[in-house]
Amino acid sequence: GEREREGEGEGSGRHRHRHAYLGEVDEVSGAGSGYLDFGTKVELAIYPMRRTVVFPGESVPLILPTERAEILISSILNAPKPFTRLFGMVHFDLNSEVGCTVELIQRGEDSDESGGTSILVKALQRFKYSFDADLPRATTSPGGGGGGDRGHAFHIDQAGLLRHEVEILEDEPYPCQIPRPVRSDSTFWGSWAYRRFDVKLLSTKAMVLYRQLVPDHKVQDIHDPIQFSFWVASALPLDAQKQQHLLECESASERLLEQIRIMEKMLGSRMKCICMVDIALSSDIFRMENSEGISAIFVNSHGFLHDIVTLLKVRKAKLQGSPETAHCWFPGYAWQIANCKECGNHLGWKFTSVAQGLRPKSFWGLRRDALALPEDHSDL
């Protein structure tokens, strides 16, 4: 509906500035220590998402109804250590069993305008749903206790929070089945035998391809291949189904191989709407000045998440309504809803500068799930 289509937010450097549209926010005490041991099994509150997939390292803004926000915040802040401040986020539309733990890092004031409370979370680790019926709860119920309760499968607790047992997944550079000699580079076979598992080589190749795709974008440090693979996955203009596939890859080498294949097909290709009409070229992708990348997750005042990629030019788009500056994700710009001329699908927004000295004068922010790649749209 129209509420889902409102373009709101800010794009800049760090998460505090990128999401300045959330208003004044306070740091949550103790944030930054929410990592759990691999294999940990625990019941967490689950926040379901539509059309959005998050990767470890990403910051995600949320606006929740004030009452529900108070329940969630109280629940996770009063959870026993090491589960304090943690809950889970997962893409529900795909029936996936893999999501990410997120940690509450900032909390905003209640907004009379949106009728909600804004929070900022950071994705930390991948998890999969666990169906072990003998797990400790990570959050407390409104009446206290909870630490020694036993979980089951999906259920809604007394506070009205959706909950499920999860198991923290280990992220490895290599697939588990690679022989040890190959892992240690001591095999007598030539490099061709394990080149596809060489994360240093794969990271370098992925970095080169990404720089060709977005020449003006500073690429994240590749010395940590696991985090680098997550960063690339979060940056590429892919829909939720393709992103979820990358999230579920069991190793960095597997994820990087997929990303290399995707970027090789993207270079010089045409981006299409879901109706398969051409709407942009891969060369139209660009990075806004002072932004962290070519894409980001934003939230509008009604709480809907939008994962967008920025482009300089878009074809076959029809603008809807007059330019508006209220709740604009990019300060100094006005936004208009952009729909596909052929099928009417909501593509995203056009942003036009209303302040002097801004560059570019205009650009587009397209929803990633509204895009399709022509050569390989069926099996990326």
Side-chain angles (χ1 to χ4, degrees):
E2 291 303 311
R3 288 190 169 190
E4 283 194 63
R5 296 188 178 195
E6 288 191 17
E8 309 175 5
E10 170 181 331
S12 61
R14 301 182 184 276
H15 56 241
R16 172 183 289 276
H17 301 104
R18 166 179 282 185
H19 302 291
Y21 59 95
L22 296 178
E24 293 296 323
V25 293
D26 296 320
E27 300 289 338
V28 175
S29 177
S33 57
Y35 289 91
L36 303 176
D37 292 337
F38 298 135
T40 297
K41 293 183 178 181
V42 64
E43 182 182 279
L44 293 178
I46 300 294
Y47 184 88
M49 298 176 291
R50 295 177 55 209
R51 304 191 302 265
T52 303
V53 175
V54 299
F55 292 88
E58 279 195 281
S59 296
V60 184
L62 298 173
I63 297 179
L64 305 176
T66 298
E67 182 178 358
R68 178 57 58 89
E70 291 298 328
I71 292 173
L72 174 63
I73 292 171
S74 175
S75 179
I76 61 178
L77 290 184
N78 289 302
K81 294 181 179 179
F83 310 116
T84 313
R85 300 177 304 278
L86 297 181
F87 61 100
M89 297 185 74
V90 67
H91 189 296
F92 258 32
D93 291 354
L94 301 176
N95 297 317
S96 171
E97 295 183 1
V98 176
C100 279
T101 61
V102 297
E103 182 179 25
L104 177 65
I105 56 176
Q106 292 179 353
R107 175 186 177 179
E109 299 294 328
D110 298 343
S111 171
D112 294 332
E113 185 174 356
S114 66
T117 298
S118 59
I119 64 174
L120 195 67
V121 301
K122 184 175 182 179
L124 299 182
Q125 294 171 287
R126 296 186 309 138
F127 67 73
K128 68 177 180 180
Y129 291 144
S130 171
F131 296 95
D132 188 340
D134 190 28
L135 297 177
R137 289 175 181 258
T139 57
T140 57
S141 64
D149 294 341
R150 298 301 178 183
H152 299 290
F154 256 128
H155 68 96
I156 299 177
D157 67 10
Q158 294 177 354
L161 299 176
L162 187 66
R163 305 175 61 81
H164 202 292
E165 300 90 7
V166 304
E167 178 180 353
I168 303 301
L169 294 175
E170 183 172 7
D171 293 310
E172 295 189 306
Y174 313 97
C176 296
Q177 67 271 22
I178 297 180
R180 185 177 297 275
V182 174
R183 289 181 181 235
S184 62
D185 294 342
S186 61
T187 176
F188 63 89
W189 294 102
S191 60
W192 60 268
Y194 55 90
R195 186 172 296 157
R196 65 181 286 111
F197 306 118
D198 185 336
V199 289
K200 293 181 180 179
L201 179 64
L202 293 173
S203 295
T204 300
K205 186 172 183 179
M207 176 188 65
V208 170
L209 286 169
Y210 188 83
R211 282 177 171 169
Q212 292 176 6
L213 190 65
V214 191
D216 65 338
H217 189 190
K218 182 179 179 181
V219 178
Q220 179 167 312
D221 189 354
I222 65 173
H223 289 96
D224 184 340
I226 295 173
Q227 290 304 314
F228 179 68
S229 71
F230 288 139
W231 180 83
V232 175
S234 68
L236 291 177
L238 305 173
D239 63 24
Q241 183 177 3
K242 301 178 185 74
Q243 283 190 306
Q244 185 68 30
H245 172 68
L246 293 175
L247 181 67
E248 295 180 0
C249 290
E250 296 181 354
S251 67
S253 59
E254 179 184 351
R255 190 174 298 112
L256 287 165
L257 279 169
E258 285 293 300
Q259 292 163 350
I260 288 170
R261 183 175 67 88
I262 290 170
M263 287 188 285
E264 287 176 340
K265 291 181 177 293
M266 286 183 62
L267 287 171
S269 68
R270 296 179 180 272
M271 303 170 111
K272 296 177 179 286
C273 176
I274 56 174
C275 68
M276 301 314 295
V277 64
D278 293 345
I279 56 174
L281 301 175
S282 61
S283 57
D284 294 324
I285 299 172
F286 85 110
R287 178 186 65 89
M288 280 290 289
E289 185 178 358
N290 297 324
S291 70
E292 293 178 344
I294 61 173
S295 61
I297 299 174
F298 296 102
V299 62
N300 68 17
S301 61
H302 306 292
F304 291 100
L305 291 175
H306 293 288
D307 196 352
I308 67 169
V309 59
T310 50
L311 301 99
L312 286 172
K313 297 178 182 179
V314 169
R315 302 148 183 83
K316 301 288 186 178
K318 181 179 180 180
L319 297 178
Q320 174 182 326
S322 301
E324 298 188 34
T325 57
H327 311 294
C328 189
W329 290 327
F330 301 91
Y333 287 86
W335 57 270
Q336 284 179 280
I337 293 172
N339 300 320
C340 175
K341 283 185 177 180
E342 299 297 323
C343 68
N345 181 47
H346 176 214
L347 294 174
W349 301 266
K350 182 179 182 180
F351 296 90
T352 306
S353 65
V354 293
Q356 292 184 348
L358 291 181
R359 295 290 185 274
K361 290 291 187 181
S362 66
F363 67 95
W364 304 74
L366 299 191
R367 296 166 42 236
R368 283 204 258 198
D369 65 313
L371 303 177
L373 298 178
E375 290 88 352
D376 202 20
H377 63 272
S378 61
D379 64 351
L380 271 185

